[in-house]
Amino acid sequence: MNKARTLIAALAFLVALPVGAQYSQLGKKNEFMMKVEAGYGPYMGNLGEAGEYGHYLNKYHHGTDLNVILGTNISQDWFLGGGAGFAYFFSNHEGAESLMGANVFVDFDFRPIWKAIMGQDYQPTSIKWAPEVGARAGGSLLLGSSDTYGTTFTPMIEVYGGLNWYYWYHMNGMRNMTRNWHSLYVTLGVAYMQQTVFLPIRIGWRW
């Protein structure tokens, strides 16, 4: 029995070695990152089949939201994380009712700030701006009133593009490799949720 336990412990140790080494290698390139953003999404149109009271948002509702996203910044260029946010839908249309909601989603973005010459990656100190493309997918919860559809839950999908400003270098005059992903950003996208298409414009801070 003792020999079996010793053999199992030895095998577990041998398996743990390459896993630990891989984690160590990844840890050098990956950084925890948070994004906080506020957005405004003008109404673009409704999709899907209308029910007894029309679409879920059937009075030309615009949307605003405030999101917090936590994730991993991978090799500076890539980000993958999960987010949650508060949403508010409103309209100046006669008879329109303002509604609150919440979103949960997975967020991905890519900011190409690395360059390469003859196969060698480097980061010139002049990089203070970077384009951004990304997407997110999840669910949207609408807290409706009893005289329409009540509370509804639908898929949420969004694709976006924008621009990052790496403000750290403007303030300090040099690249600090531990903070080269801190930025302010603005994005423009197309989003679908609650049977409605929006054109969200977002301003955010990543660090």
Side-chain angles (χ1 to χ4, degrees), residues 35 37 66-70 82-87 102-106 139:
K35 298 197 294 185
E37 60 183 27
L66 180 64
N67 300 316
V68 176
I69 306 162
L70 305 177
F86 167 79
N103 299 323
V104 292
F105 53 87
V106 174

Side-chain angles (χ1 to χ4, degrees), residues 8-189:
I8 292 172
L11 289 174
F13 176 75
L14 291 175
V15 170
L17 282 178
V19 172
Q22 184 181 24
Y23 175 83
S24 176
Q25 292 173 0
L26 291 175
K28 294 178 182 179
K29 295 183 178 181
N30 300 350
E31 297 276 0
F32 169 80
M33 186 170 69
M34 175 184 289
K35 298 197 294 185
V36 177
E37 60 183 27
Y40 167 67
Y43 168 90
M44 298 298 292
N46 291 119
L47 291 179
E49 184 177 351
E52 180 182 357
Y53 301 102
H55 293 93
Y56 297 154
L57 297 173
N58 59 3
K59 299 291 186 179
Y60 305 97
H61 285 77
H62 306 297
T64 62
D65 58 23
L66 180 64
N67 300 316
V68 176
I69 306 162
L70 305 177
T72 301
N73 200 53
I74 306 169
S75 297
Q76 300 183 63
D77 301 57
W78 307 83
F79 171 78
L80 178 64
F86 167 79
Y88 180 73
F89 302 96
F90 66 95
S91 174
N92 295 324
H93 194 273
E94 183 179 356
E97 178 183 11
S98 296
L99 300 168
M100 294 186 296
N103 299 323
V104 292
F105 53 87
V106 174
D107 181 63
F108 158 82
D109 71 50
F110 172 61
R111 308 169 317 281
I113 63 174
W114 284 86
K115 293 187 177 181
I117 294 181
M118 299 182 67
Q120 297 297 318
D121 287 337
Y122 80 105
Q123 292 181 299
T125 58
S126 61
I127 290 184
K128 297 182 179 69
W129 300 87
E132 174 181 351
V133 294
R136 56 187 56 170
S140 170
L141 180 68
L142 180 68
L143 303 177
S145 63
S146 59
D147 60 344
T148 56
Y149 290 104
T151 298
T152 63
F153 183 80
T154 70
M156 184 200 77
I157 301 173
E158 180 178 340
V159 293
Y160 59 87
L163 186 66
N164 281 258
W165 173 44
Y166 293 94
Y167 60 86
W168 182 263
Y169 316 112
H170 286 269
M171 295 190 304
N172 294 275
M174 62 181 293
R175 290 189 70 84
N176 183 326
M177 292 301 290
T178 64
R179 297 179 177 177
N180 56 359
W181 37 264
H182 290 210
S183 69
L184 300 174
Y185 62 89
V186 58
T187 63
L188 174 64

Side-chain angles (χ1 to χ4, degrees), residues 1-11:
M1 180 65 70
N2 290 334
K3 290 183 179 180
R5 290 179 178 176
T6 302
L7 179 59
I8 292 172
L11 289 174

